C-alpha cells in the first residue's frame, strides 16, 4: 500500500502564502527539479495539442507554463508573488506572464481551453472562489487540472523523517496540519463536471543531505521552520541533517513524493459566462 502523503511538504497557508513564495522565488524549484517533474507528468496526462490556450495559475517559476509552451501551447502564466513573476518573465519571454491574485482573475471570460494549477489550490484562502473564477475564463468543454500533495510508495524510507517533522511542527507557534483539501467538492460546487483523479509520483535521487535540506527550504516546507522559535529552528535543522545523513549512508537519499491530479471539465452545453 502506498505511504500517505508526507506531512508539511507543501503547507496549508492563507494570506501569508504570496509573501512566503516571494522570499523563496530565487531558489524555488532550482535545487531539484521537483515541480518541473510533476508538471511534465501532468502534461503527459493532459496531452494538450499545439495551439492550446492554457492559463497556469500560481505558476511559480513556470514548471507547467514553460513546459506547456515548449509543447506548442499559448500560455498565460499568473502568480501573486512579484519576484516569481519577475524571474519567470525574464527567463521565458515566450510566456504572457502577469502578476495576479488567483482569487481575482482579471482575464476575459471564455478565453482558455485549459487551466492548470500545480500545488497551489490548497494554499489559497478561498479555493471555491479561485475555481469559480477559472470556470468563468474557460470555454465550454475546456479542462481544468490541479495537483495537490498525495500518497507515494517509499518502502518506509521516509518514516523517521515524517515523525521528526511532525514532532517539530507540533511546537510551531502557528499550527500547520495536513488536511483533506476537498478539491473534488470545490470543483463540483464551482460547476465543473466529469471530475476524476490521477496519481502521480516522483523518485528523485538527491546527491547529499545538505542539498536535500536546501530543497526542502526552497518551497512551502520552509513555513514550518519559520513558524518555530529560534532555538527549535536550530535544533530542527540539526536533527533533520542527522536523519538525512543516516539515509544517505544507508543507500542514498531518494526523494519519493506523490501527488493527486484532479481533472474536470466545463460542461459543453454551458451557458454564457457568469
Amino acid at each position: 500500500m502506498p505511504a500517505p502523503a508526507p506531512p508539511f511538504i507543501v503547507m496549508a497557508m492563507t494570506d501569508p502564502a504570496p509573501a512566503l513564495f516571494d522570499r523563496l522565488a530565487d531558489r524555488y524549484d532550482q535545487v531539484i527539479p521537483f515541480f518541473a517533474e510533476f508538471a511534465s507528468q501532468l502534461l503527459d496526462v493532459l496531452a494538450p495539442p499545439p495551439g492550446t490556450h492554457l492559463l497556469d495559475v500560481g505558476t511559480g517559476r513556470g514548471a507547467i507554463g514553460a513546459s506547456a509552451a515548449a509543447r506548442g501551447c499559448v500560455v498565460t502564466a499568473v502568480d501573486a508573488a512579484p519576484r516569481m513573476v519577475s524571474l519567470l518573465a525574464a527567463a521565458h519571454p515566450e510566456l504572457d506572464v502577469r502578476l495576479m491574485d488567483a482569487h481575482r482573475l482579471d482575464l476575459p471570460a471564455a478565453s482558455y481551453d485549459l487551466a492548470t494549477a500545480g500545488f497551489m489550490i490548497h494554499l489559497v484562502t478561498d479555493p471555491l472562489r479561485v475555481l469559480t473564477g477559472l470556470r468563468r475564463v474557460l470555454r465550454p468543454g475546456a479542462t481544468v487540472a490541479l495537483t495537490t500533495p498525495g500518497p507515494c510508495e517509499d518502502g518506509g524510507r521516509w518514516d523517521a523523517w515524517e515523525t521528526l517533522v511532525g514532532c517539530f511542527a507540533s511546537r510551531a507557534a502557528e499550527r500547520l496540519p495536513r488536511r483533506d483539501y476537498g478539491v473534488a467538492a470545490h470543483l463540483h460546487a464551482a460547476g465543473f463536471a466529469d471530475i476524476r483523479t490521477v496519481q502521480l509520483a516522483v523518485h528523485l535521487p538527491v546527491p547529499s543531505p545538505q542539498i536535500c535540506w536546501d530543497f526542502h527550504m526552497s518551497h512551502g516546507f520552509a513555513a514550518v521552520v519559520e513558524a518555530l522559535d529560534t532555538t527549535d529552528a536550530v535544533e530542527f535543522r540539526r536533527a533533520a541533517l542527522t536523519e538525512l545523513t543516516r539515509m544517505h549512508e544507508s543507500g542514498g537519499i531518494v526523494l519519493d513524493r506523490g501527488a493527486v491530479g484532479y481533472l474536470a471539465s466545463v460542461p459543453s452545453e454551458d451557458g454564457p459566462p457568469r
Side-chain angles (χ1 to χ4, degrees), residues 192-217:
F192 288 97
D194 189 25
I195 301 166
R196 62 266 190 210
T197 61
V198 296
Q199 301 295 317
L200 308 173
V202 300
H203 304 277
L204 301 172
V206 184
S208 72
Q210 185 62 56
I211 289 175
C212 195
W213 174 256
D214 291 345
F215 158 74
H216 280 89
M217 293 301 293

Side-chain angles (χ1 to χ4, degrees), residues 246-254:
R246 184 198 64 76
M247 294 172 66
H248 183 64
E249 293 173 348
S250 300
I253 303 171
V254 177

Side-chain angles (χ1 to χ4, degrees), residues 2 5 17 23 79 126 141 157 209 217 231 235 251 259 272:
R23 295 195 301 274
D79 201 283
D126 189 345
R157 284 189 291 268
M217 293 301 293
T231 300
E235 184 183 349

Side-chain angles (χ1 to χ4, degrees), residues 59 61-62 65-70 73-77 88-89 92-97:
T59 192
R61 294 292 295 269
S67 183
C73 296
V74 179
V75 177
T76 300
L88 181 59
H92 292 281
E94 72 276 16
L95 306 180
D96 177 8
V97 184

Side-chain angles (χ1 to χ4, degrees), residues 60-270:
R61 294 292 295 269
I64 294 176
S67 183
R71 299 178 187 222
C73 296
V74 179
V75 177
T76 300
V78 307
D79 201 283
R83 183 61 177 166
M84 290 285 197
V85 169
S86 174
L87 290 169
L88 181 59
H92 292 281
E94 72 276 16
L95 306 180
D96 177 8
V97 184
R98 307 188 191 189
L99 179 65
M100 193 177 298
D101 186 340
H103 294 89
R104 295 178 288 276
L105 293 176
D106 184 16
L107 298 166
S111 298
Y112 296 95
D113 308 304
L114 174 62
T116 55
F119 293 97
M120 67 79 70
I121 195 62
H122 56 295
L123 303 180
V124 300
T125 306
D126 189 345
L128 179 56
R129 182 175 180 181
V130 171
L131 293 175
T132 301
L134 289 177
R135 186 179 181 277
R136 181 186 68 81
V137 302
L138 286 169
R139 299 182 176 116
T143 297
V144 63
L146 320 165
T147 54
T148 66
C152 181
E153 180 55 62
D154 65 5
R157 284 189 291 268
W158 289 88
D159 288 355
W161 172 266
E162 292 174 27
T163 300
L164 176 67
V165 173
C167 175
F168 277 91
S170 70
R171 305 182 191 180
E174 299 174 13
R175 301 295 191 212
L176 298 169
R178 189 174 66 205
R179 64 180 184 181
D180 177 3
Y181 304 131
V183 176
H186 289 311
L187 284 165
H188 178 75
F192 288 97
D194 189 25
I195 301 166
R196 62 266 190 210
T197 61
V198 296
Q199 301 295 317
L200 308 173
V202 300
H203 304 277
L204 301 172
V206 184
S208 72
Q210 185 62 56
I211 289 175
C212 195
W213 174 256
D214 291 345
F215 158 74
H216 280 89
M217 293 301 293
S218 72
H219 60 84
F221 179 95
V224 176
V225 181
E226 292 187 2
L228 295 169
D229 65 32
T230 302
T231 300
D232 282 344
V234 171
E235 184 183 349
F236 182 25
R237 181 180 184 277
R238 179 197 57 76
L241 285 170
T242 297
E243 171 57 22
L244 292 170
T245 298
R246 184 198 64 76
M247 294 172 66
H248 183 64
E249 293 173 348
S250 300
I253 303 171
V254 177
L255 192 64
D256 306 290
R257 296 292 182 266
V260 179
Y262 292 86
L263 281 62
S265 303
V266 178
S268 296
E269 67 278 7
D270 210 32

Side-chain angles (χ1 to χ4, degrees), residues 20-57:
L20 171 68
F21 288 102
D22 201 58
R23 295 195 301 274
L24 298 174
D26 286 83
R27 59 186 188 274
Y28 185 82
D29 216 25
Q30 304 303 297
V31 181
I32 297 171
F34 177 82
F35 296 105
E37 179 60 29
F38 275 117
S40 179
Q41 291 185 25
L42 182 65
L43 289 168
D44 285 345
V45 171
L46 296 169
T52 295
H53 285 255
L54 183 151
L55 170 64
D56 185 38
V57 296

